[in-house]
Amino acid sequence: MRRKTVSIVSVVTVLVCTTCPLSGGFAAGIEVVFLAGEGFMVSCGHSKVLIDALFDLNAGEGKPPRAHDHLPPDGIAKLAGAGRPFDKVDAVLVTHAHDDHFTSRCTADYMRANGWAVLAGPAGVIDSLSGYPWLEDEAGERLITVDVPAGRIDTMIIDGLTIYALGIRHTGCEKGAGPDSPCIDHVAWLVEAEGCRILHLGDARAGAEEFEQFSWLPGLEIDIAFVPFWFLQKAGGVDVISSLIAPKTVVLMHWNSWNRDSVVEELERNRDGLPPTVIFGEAFEKMRF
């Protein structure tokens, strides 16, 4: 099997990105398929990425009670088996190792079914896949570890995709370390493919100080920013979206079926201060932008 071309650039200062050759604009339109939580498949032209999509809370890897919406077993089978439309994904990106974003068995099954995709995530993600024989010796080839301190950026190129891992802290981490601290290795993903540019924030903090370190973001004219709903609730979060990210479109994420109505109400209260913003309604729903 022909390997993908994967190039890794070491951590650099964010100033380097002010001269990155990012073209922007809608080359062929962007198609987004929602799965659950923060899980999406994003397609532009011939390129596809899955972000925070490969987790199975039916299986026993997560800790009950199940606090988050997730795909039922038949939905997991469709996804993890890499059947259409999930069969030609180029990159699988994981923001962090929490079980409502990533579980190892579901991800390993997908990587076996799709022998082409490259997976990138923090060390906790990659290390948990070491016990699967079909992924042995894949480190640096199909399994890419990112280690990005807050305020820094890593870059990798996978065939026609240029992918940036942005060091942004997990929400709640500002409260300090401790046994229940969410200070887990966490990155946001900025992806450029065929003239399209998307940003997935994972469970990012909504504080302006997280984004002021990436002062070049508004100038990129990001096509779609995937933003957790608490940015609408935290003080200054709406300004972060509109001024420090300034995307053309926002997709709200990480709501659950039992709080979605309140998130929609919050959106309506803040809509005038936001770019055009949408919220999905059910698994496998598709939108084109």
Side-chain angles (χ1 to χ4, degrees):
M1 178 183 298
R2 184 173 70 87
R3 293 288 189 186
K4 280 184 170 292
T5 302
V6 182
S7 302
I8 308 298
V9 179
S10 299
V11 175
V12 295
T13 63
V14 297
L15 293 178
V16 171
C17 229
T18 61
T19 57
C20 287
L22 299 175
S23 57
F26 292 100
I30 302 175
E31 182 177 276
V32 177
V33 178
F34 171 62
L35 295 162
E38 293 190 358
F40 294 90
M41 183 177 75
V42 183
S43 307
C44 180
H46 299 290
S47 299
K48 286 185 185 180
V49 296
L50 280 171
I51 308 179
D52 279 5
L54 295 172
F55 66 97
D56 183 2
L57 297 186
N58 306 286
E61 289 187 71
K63 297 178 180 179
R66 304 304 189 205
H68 299 282
D69 286 346
H70 56 281
L71 293 177
D74 59 341
I76 292 294
K78 179 179 180 181
L79 174 61
R84 292 183 179 178
F86 308 110
D87 54 332
K88 295 182 180 178
V89 167
D90 301 287
V92 176
L93 306 177
V94 183
T95 61
H96 62 297
H98 282 164
D99 65 7
D100 55 327
H101 300 257
F102 162 86
T103 56
S104 61
R105 183 74 207 198
C106 180
T107 302
D109 286 347
Y110 181 84
M111 295 295 287
R112 177 168 57 176
N114 178 351
W116 178 253
V118 173
L119 183 148
V125 169
I126 304 304
D127 291 349
S128 70
L129 296 170
S130 61
Y132 297 95
W134 55 92
L135 291 175
E136 289 180 357
D137 304 321
E138 294 284 10
E141 292 280 354
R142 296 183 64 217
L143 302 179
I144 308 299
T145 301
V146 294
D147 181 11
V148 189
R152 304 295 291 276
I153 181 171
D154 247 355
T155 306
M156 59 185 161
I157 299 171
I158 302 174
D159 284 355
L161 294 165
T162 303
I163 301 174
Y164 305 91
L166 280 60
I168 297 178
R169 288 181 294 172
H170 191 287
T171 186
C173 191
E174 70 277 11
K175 298 175 183 177
D180 300 318
S181 171
C183 289
I184 189 171
D185 288 342
H186 179 275
V187 297
W189 291 107
L190 174 63
V191 180
E192 187 194 43
E194 303 187 40
C196 304
R197 187 178 298 114
I198 65 104
L199 174 68
H200 189 293
L201 293 182
D203 280 1
R205 290 191 64 232
E209 64 274 16
E210 300 291 332
F211 295 88
E212 288 167 348
Q213 301 176 92
F214 305 103
S215 59
W216 39 265
L217 274 175
L220 296 183
E221 297 185 353
I222 292 164
D223 294 310
I224 302 175
F226 295 83
V227 179
F229 72 89
W230 53 79
F231 274 63
L232 273 58
Q233 300 173 336
K234 301 289 187 179
V238 171
D239 288 338
V240 167
I241 297 171
S242 60
S243 299
L244 298 183
I245 302 174
K248 297 175 184 177
T249 301
V250 174
V251 173
L252 282 182
M253 61 181 184
H254 221 336
W255 48 269
N256 295 293
S257 55
W258 51 90
N259 75 344
R260 185 179 182 278
D261 288 347
S262 65
V263 173
V264 171
E265 291 173 3
E266 196 80 42
L267 170 59
E268 293 308 316
R269 284 194 291 270
N270 288 282
R271 194 177 287 279
D272 289 346
L274 290 166
T277 301
V278 301
I279 181 169
F280 283 76
E282 59 184 12
F284 300 112
E285 184 178 353
K286 181 190 304 181
M287 292 189 190
R288 193 164 185 86
F289 300 88

